[in-house]
Amino acid sequence: MGGLSRRSLLAGGVALGGAAALGLGAGQAAGRSPRASAGSVLVLGGGIGGLTAAHELAERGFAVTVLERKELGGKARSIPVPGTGQGGRPDLPGEHGFRFFPGFYRNLPDTLRRIPFPGNRNGVHDNLVDGSMFRLARTGGRFDLFVPLKLPFPSLDPSVLLPALIALLDTALRLPPWETAHFANRLVVYLTSGDERRLGQWERTPWWDFLGARSRSAEYGRIFGIGLTRLLVAMRAEEASSHTVGLILEAFLNTALGRGNDGAVDRVLNAPTNEAWIDPWITHLRSLGVRFQTGAAERLHCAGGRITGVTVRTAAGRTQVSADHYVSAVPVERALPLWGPEVLAADPRLRLVGELRTEWMNGVMFYLRRKLPLVHGHVSYVDTPWALTSVSQAQFWRGGDLTRYGDGSVQDCLSTIISNWDAPGIVHRKPARFCTRQQLHEEVIAQLEASLEDTGENLLRPADVHSWFLDPAITELGAPGGARSDEPLLINPVDSWARRPDAATRIPNLFLAADFVRNNVNLATMEGANEAGRLAANAVLDAAGSSAPRARLFTLFRAPELRGLQEEDTRRFRAGLPNLFDQG
């Protein structure tokens, strides 16, 4: 095909004239790292998965170009609020949704340590700061629950865990004791289940059914069903995979116990994401020889069982480019159109990606003229129909306020996320996706106030609200057909694991590095995307016959005291028997 040769993409060759629009001319090639001789790699997508793959491969001598249609960093990036900067200050920092780095993340923190940052011994990793408390905000006169993020019991041994959990939950939640005991039992059932049962039974069981929520109180279902699934996976408890929810709860428990973790349960960055992480990362990758280009990858081309090139659209038009290896790091909703019929014919299993599902989980930021530290960590507004969560950011940021941004009068940002865009609100009685922009603003404030009205905090007094900002991925609010989201989030309904691909495909020079790739954390997260990038990089190394060391892969901690019970459970599962602790 006409276009750039595999190596000339990064070495500086130009063909068909249109390639010059990508900035791939010889004038830029002079800056390429002399170590980049292991082959050329074109990474399609500059989110966390794509940047991770680029990082690992550039360190191992590959010549890497990252092609991104929007902004580097993907959903994790900062989004400046246009036109808000005054007096030489930068624009107010917006975002797709607040960043959250739980301590069970281990692959991503390893990358953060390898990104230099001035004054930090451990690079960007030193920009993480701990939260100490989680708040469950309630409505209807019920007391809010404040949960310290460190558990008082030492292990996950059922003889220790069951009574401790029952006592803790009974004291905190005021549920009927039999319901508290039942949830503790269900948690122990998952923790003692072997991998074969987790994938063979719980992956196919909705979380709502696993909990037995249909036969228990509405409060039980709201806290353990709706609250947990909307907070963790942005989906309905009636559909969520019990394996996914159980795995993340297990990870949080181990982190709260200080076992197998990188840090505290709740961690955030000490500045806007681009300042604290993404910009230093891009600078470091450039120093390794990685090149970044703006353009939309439209269609991969396949012949003879291999990828031969990709059609790229830029402001100057369309062109075709090629490389030795291709890493597809686009999100799930853009994957099938990019791959096209030729790729799907060469690897038919990739068609299953079309059965994966997404939901919306997008941020609304309220910029305040006063500080409002609701809790030293995150808040879940469990009773809100739009499943809101928030974090008060100034308490964690360097300088303690936001006065160095915008017009200098903003003290805090209440960064809020809407996780349910389909439930009617409490003011306009419409789902978020069918609200106008002003209606959405009024609804979010009303739902926050309803959860905090009994606390005396006077949340978001009109005089305190400087301005607000909605994730620009949400468009067409108020349109007859409802709003659209350009950046939805992969969710994990039952049996979705079987539909997710591996990082290595049947096409020997095509690899996948996005959060929908099968990975150990099994959830659409920055950690999952980072792990997928590492898996893709290792697959490239295998395909290239490289002798370079493989990217290190970290797995979630598994409590050694449960190993015997999990092995016994595997024997029981194979025999068609229930888990030893399963009371139904």
Side-chain angles (χ1 to χ4, degrees), residues 222-236:
R222 178 168 295 280
I223 293 175
F224 296 128
I226 298 171
L228 284 178
T229 53
R230 283 295 179 183
L231 178 65
L232 296 176
V233 295
M235 68 177 300
R236 298 173 65 243

Side-chain angles (χ1 to χ4, degrees), residues 139 364 366 381 383-388 416-418 420-421 423-451 459-460 468 477:
T139 61
V364 181
F366 295 97
Y381 304 87
D383 299 316
T384 56
W386 290 1
L388 303 179
T416 309
I417 288 180
I418 302 173
N420 187 343
W421 288 76
I426 63 176
V427 177
H428 299 284
R429 307 296 177 182
K430 296 194 295 187
R433 69 172 71 229
F434 290 103
C435 286
T436 66
R437 184 178 179 85
Q438 184 60 30
Q439 287 171 342
L440 184 139
H441 171 259
E442 293 168 358
E443 277 285 359
V444 173
I445 288 183
Q447 292 182 34
L448 291 173
E449 288 179 336
S451 295
L459 176 71
L460 298 179
W468 69 288
L477 279 168

Side-chain angles (χ1 to χ4, degrees), residues 366-386:
F366 295 97
Y367 302 101
L368 308 177
R369 293 189 176 92
R370 69 181 177 107
K371 295 182 181 180
L372 192 68
L374 296 174
V375 71
H376 194 251
H378 287 81
V379 184
S380 174
Y381 304 87
V382 69
D383 299 316
T384 56
W386 290 1

Side-chain angles (χ1 to χ4, degrees), residues 322-340:
S322 58
D324 292 324
H325 310 282
Y326 301 80
V327 176
S328 174
V330 299
V332 64
E333 71 276 7
R334 298 185 179 276
L336 288 184
L338 169 64
W339 298 343

Side-chain angles (χ1 to χ4, degrees), residues 6 12-13 19 25 29 87 118 214 265 302 372 421 437 507 527-528 531 543:
R6 290 176 182 164
R214 299 181 195 279
V265 171
C302 186
L372 192 68
W421 288 76
R437 184 178 179 85
I507 301 172
E527 173 75 355
E531 183 183 347

